[in-house]
Amino acid sequence: MTMAATATAIAPQEQFASDVRSGLAKPRKELPSKYFYDALGSALFEAICLLPEYGLTRADERVLSRNTREIVGRIPHPVLVSELGSGSGRKTRQILGALCKRGPVSYYPIEISPKALASCAAELDDIDCLSIVGIEREYLDGLQTVAAARPPGAHLLVLFLGSTIGNFDTGADAKFLREVRGKLRPGDSLLLGTDLVKRVDVMLEAYNDSLGVTAAFNLNLLSRINRELEGDFDLHQFEHLARFNDATSSVEMHLLSKRRQMVHVRQSGLVTTFEEGETIWTETCHKYTCPEIARLAAAAGFRVEAQWVDETWPFAESLFVAE
Ligand code: AVJ
């Protein structure tokens, strides 16, 4: 794998320190969910994907593998593929493998974690005719780099799988997709994975598993702050909380302070007090409906070319085409 871009204006560590400072200074404390994925957090997420309660990733993989031929049949050739978040490479493998049967394909995974990029490249290394160019950037910056590098006449397919789109705040998903659209040309495609609304108890158990893996995944954010930013969070004094917000149709994850306590984060220059029962909001996982996906596409300048839904665990794969 070649690395096309590693330059960032502000060092990732400083960005982390500053995001922690601003998130914990808010009246309703919050932390960005993108910081879950250090080496331990990524391993815990892989474990989450194996939990019986968490059907999301299996559904995503199932829809993709059952419909690979039809999906790929709708993508013009030659094509340049870019993925927002490199994931484990497992899901992408089938799509890329099928595209490669028609000729050489360039694949540009965009990911802020260099480790994730490396393991994705290792996973996909054996596919013939595939050249992998890792882009260590935020999604939109990375997509800009890919768009600038595309040869004339090549079609661009953007993959945004696993319902990561659901992690945006309400309204920010549409804004993000508009920005993605802004980097594309008419006729380019976006394959978008979205988890769909299902029974509330099923949705809640997916984020509150009986082994406590999701709790560990959530709490690891505090231990990452301790490790990397010289924080002194006492992990025993916080607990994992998952709840369904009806108004936004989202599962929210929080970390709840079990008592009144003070916390320091040295590299963020932060001292803050938690009341008993106060929470840090760490993640939003929005659950979609199909009409909502259609509205989202239209609002962002796409049409829904095709859609595939898993019936066992309602999850949709939608092929958007830029208008
Ligand atoms: C990887 C963002 C799709 O929102 O379900 C899993 C992350 N958080 N369990 C999700 C996650 C808690 C996951 N996504």
Side-chain angles (χ1 to χ4, degrees), residues 40-60:
L40 180 52
S42 301
L44 287 168
F45 178 66
E46 290 291 309
I48 287 173
C49 295
L50 300 174
L51 294 170
E53 294 98 331
Y54 192 78
L56 191 154
T57 308
R58 286 185 295 275
D60 192 15

Side-chain angles (χ1 to χ4, degrees), residues 37 45 48 54 56 162-164 167 206-207 214 217 253 283-285 287:
Y37 303 93
F45 178 66
I48 287 173
Y54 192 78
L56 191 154
S163 204
T164 305
N167 286 167
Y207 295 86
T214 309
F217 174 73
M253 299 210 311
E283 193 178 40
T284 299
C285 311
K287 304 303 170 189

Side-chain angles (χ1 to χ4, degrees), residues 74-265:
R74 290 174 181 272
I75 309 296
H77 190 75
V79 66
L80 212 107
V81 182
S82 185
E83 182 164 15
L84 308 181
S86 62
S88 68
R90 212 167 38 232
K91 284 180 274 192
T92 323
R93 162 170 216 100
Q94 324 178 42
I95 302 281
L96 292 174
L99 284 170
C100 281
K101 293 204 175 117
R102 309 185 306 191
V105 174
S106 302
Y107 170 58
Y108 296 79
I110 304 171
E111 172 68 60
I112 49 170
S113 150
K115 284 210 181 94
L117 273 181
S119 69
C120 154
E123 167 82 24
L124 300 171
D125 190 48
D126 61 318
I127 304 180
D128 283 340
C129 296
L130 184 70
S131 63
I132 307 177
V133 184
I135 311 268
E136 196 183 324
R137 289 272 178 101
E138 298 279 340
Y139 294 154
L140 292 169
D141 285 350
L143 203 52
Q144 182 60 48
T145 307
V146 175
R150 75 195 289 188
H155 181 85
L156 184 56
L157 165 65
V158 178
L159 305 175
F160 197 21
L161 306 176
S163 204
T164 305
I165 182 85
N167 286 167
F168 287 95
D169 291 338
T170 314
D173 52 359
K175 178 169 177 280
F176 179 77
L177 289 183
R178 262 197 307 280
E179 286 174 314
V180 168
R181 170 64 191 86
K183 315 277 182 208
L184 305 181
R185 294 197 195 131
D188 284 341
S189 327
L190 168 68
L191 185 63
L192 182 70
T194 44
D195 201 22
L196 300 177
V197 174
K198 46 191 73 63
R199 263 175 38 204
V200 173
D201 58 335
V202 175
M203 290 190 284
L204 275 178
E205 273 176 24
Y207 295 86
N208 201 14
D209 63 277
S210 47
L211 279 177
V213 183
T214 309
F217 174 73
N218 198 6
L219 281 161
N220 176 55
L221 188 48
L222 302 184
S223 79
R224 181 177 184 187
I225 293 172
N226 288 350
R227 285 190 298 271
E228 294 184 21
L229 303 176
E230 296 177 86
D232 64 357
F233 280 100
D234 179 351
L235 267 63
H236 295 292
Q237 299 304 333
F238 286 86
E239 70 186 37
H240 167 66
L241 176 74
R243 63 175 180 226
F244 189 71
N245 183 330
D246 264 312
T248 61
S249 186
S250 311
V251 176
E252 291 179 5
M253 299 210 311
H254 294 256
L255 289 161
L256 181 139
S257 174
K258 293 193 202 169
R259 59 171 170 85
R260 190 184 156 82
Q261 56 186 316
M262 192 183 263
V263 172
H264 307 81
V265 182

